Amino acid sequence: FGRALCFVFPDLSPVLATLCFAAGINVAITRTALATSLILCFLAGEQFAVPAVLAASIVSLFATSYVPFIKSQLARSDIDYSLYYHKNREPKVQDSTRELHA
């Protein structure tokens, strides 16, 4: 898909377009934006492409946040709290200081 986009925009780097498309598809399925960006860029030998690929990964994460691609895919509660702010609902965090003082 990245190479096809280069025919529409000739000034676009084919390597960068291909890495961004691959990262976007992988993040849509696995929901791992940072790891996908780092692994793809370093395996391809394009360490300077990390910011662009990370941006594509984050856009894919936001665009597909509630779209399960696999029927058995579980929702990640940590992503729900980081993507959307709910005024009346706070994440459940255990207070370890209470256990120390008790």
Side-chain angles (χ1 to χ4, degrees):
F1 292 113
R3 289 192 181 265
L5 190 63
C6 291
F7 290 118
V8 178
F9 301 104
D11 293 335
L12 191 62
S13 167
V15 174
L16 187 62
T18 305
L19 285 173
C20 287
F21 263 98
I25 292 169
N26 191 27
V27 168
I29 295 171
T30 63
R31 309 280 195 260
T32 54
L34 182 61
T36 296
S37 303
L38 292 175
I39 290 170
L40 279 176
C41 288
F42 279 88
L43 284 178
E46 297 289 333
Q47 290 84 9
F48 295 116
V50 171
V53 175
L54 182 61
S57 297
I58 291 173
V59 167
S60 174
L61 187 65
F62 279 114
T64 63
S65 62
Y66 284 116
V67 180
F69 286 97
I70 302 171
K71 193 173 188 177
S72 62
Q73 188 175 17
L74 298 175
R76 289 184 52 183
S77 62
D78 59 336
I79 292 179
D80 288 340
Y81 287 117
S82 63
L83 288 179
Y84 303 104
Y85 173 74
H86 299 286
K87 185 175 181 179
N88 297 329
R89 190 174 72 171
E90 293 293 325
K92 295 179 182 178
V93 179
Q94 293 178 349
D95 188 10
S96 61
T97 58
R98 287 186 208 170
E99 294 173 3
L100 294 175
H101 297 295

